[in-house]
Amino acid sequence: EAGVAQSPRYKIIEKRQSVAFWCNPISGHATLYWYQQILGQGPKLLIQFQNNGVVDDSQLPKDRFSAERLKGVDSTLKIQPAKLEDSAVYLCASSLVHRNYFYEKLFFGSGTQLSVL
Amino acid sequence: SQQGEEDPQALSIQEGENATMNCSYKTSINNLQWYRQNSGRGLVHLILIRSNEREKHSGRLRVTLDTSKKSSSLLITASRAADTASYFCATDEPGRRALTFGSGTRLQVQP
């Protein structure tokens, strides 16, 4: 089966510019996640969608970050304006929904490496 | 905040040796998962252990879970150079539908 697709692979921008990332999950996966991974750390959840509804966005800096998942399939994550501390790898993941909401495994894309200068 | 913390932060061994990584967490969990991340790539799921299980095997991987100590260990037996990667534990807390990842252990297997 095809994996989680992300683009672009790399992005370099200057601070205060805007940037957008795209993710296409595995077909049939209702749940989609965006994680931020700063160098040397583990991934941190930014936002979780189930179909096209937001389940958890408690750690999303909403003054500058936004995300949408129209039609419950692919998703975009936007940063506007970017700050130096936003330099990180942005990972998209997807999973099937378990009827008891106990977590099954996540499938990750290769990520977008963002450098803010 | 990160629920799981791995120990050690970095580990270097020779090919053929066993590698053991530990994960400690703070709250009760439904299950615990381990993931591997090769440099510049996304994470790959290795194994899931539920809170009512104590040990699980998958190929050269052995995972244990001690809910009374809130800790888990991942053992990789007969390591290979291809096992060089970062390893993360991830937990889900009851009532919160999000996986929380630890800070990871960087494993280097010398050929």
Side-chain angles (χ1 to χ4, degrees):
Chain A
E1 64 183 3
V4 176
Q6 287 190 249
S7 68
R9 189 77 176 87
Y10 303 94
K11 191 73 177 179
I12 300 173
I13 61 172
E14 295 187 351
K15 60 183 179 183
R16 291 189 288 274
Q17 287 186 324
S18 62
V19 64
F21 313 122
W22 174 83
C23 171
N24 187 258
I26 292 173
S27 177
H29 281 193
T31 311
L32 184 148
Y33 317 78
W34 285 101
Y35 280 86
Q36 180 193 57
Q37 186 177 24
I38 293 172
L39 186 64
Q41 299 182 17
K44 183 185 87 171
L45 179 72
L46 292 175
I47 189 166
Q48 177 187 350
F49 294 93
Q50 182 140 319
N51 297 309
N52 59 349
V54 176
V55 174
D56 186 342
D57 64 356
S58 58
Q59 297 186 92
L60 186 73
K62 299 181 186 62
D63 58 334
R64 299 184 300 105
F65 286 64
S66 64
E68 60 182 10
R69 191 185 184 196
L70 299 177
K71 302 180 182 178
V73 182
D74 56 352
S75 174
T76 55
L77 175 70
K78 296 178 182 178
I79 308 174
Q80 182 180 10
K83 292 185 175 181
L84 297 177
E85 59 261 36
D86 297 333
S87 293
V89 175
Y90 291 84
L91 294 163
C92 179
S94 68
S95 69
L96 292 167
V97 177
H98 191 285
R99 63 177 180 273
N100 291 326
Y101 297 111
F102 285 171
Y103 264 78
E104 298 301 331
K105 60 185 179 181
L106 270 61
F107 294 81
F108 282 84
S110 295
T112 296
Q113 185 171 325
L114 174 67
S115 297
V116 182
L117 306 178
Chain B
S1 62
Q2 293 188 303
Q3 156 87 307
E5 294 296 330
E6 284 90 338
D7 170 63
Q9 289 187 332
L11 180 61
S12 182
I13 59 174
Q14 296 293 317
E15 215 168 20
E17 294 181 337
N18 295 342
T20 300
M21 289 158 266
N22 303 295
C23 169
S24 59
Y25 56 92
K26 297 171 185 157
T27 68
S28 61
I29 59 171
N30 290 319
N31 65 56
L32 185 144
Q33 304 181 37
W34 285 90
Y35 287 79
R36 184 187 74 227
Q37 185 177 36
N38 290 85
S39 180
R41 309 298 298 177
L43 284 76
V44 174
H45 179 268
L46 294 176
I47 196 165
L48 180 154
I49 186 166
R50 302 218 182 269
S51 59
N52 61 353
E53 297 175 312
R54 291 297 167 257
E55 187 171 314
K56 203 161 183 180
H57 296 256
S58 177
R60 294 184 296 112
L61 305 180
R62 172 178 169 255
V63 170
T64 61
L65 179 64
D66 187 334
T67 53
S68 66
K69 295 181 179 179
K70 293 186 171 58
S71 67
S72 173
S73 67
L74 170 67
L75 168 68
I76 304 174
T77 60
S79 63
R80 305 166 182 169
D83 295 327
T84 294
S86 291
Y87 292 81
F88 297 90
C89 67
T91 56
D92 67 320
E93 305 160 39
R96 185 159 190 257
R97 298 190 212 164
L99 272 187
T100 304
F101 286 84
S103 51
T105 292
R106 293 184 304 280
L107 173 65
Q108 177 77 41
V109 181
Q110 307 286 351

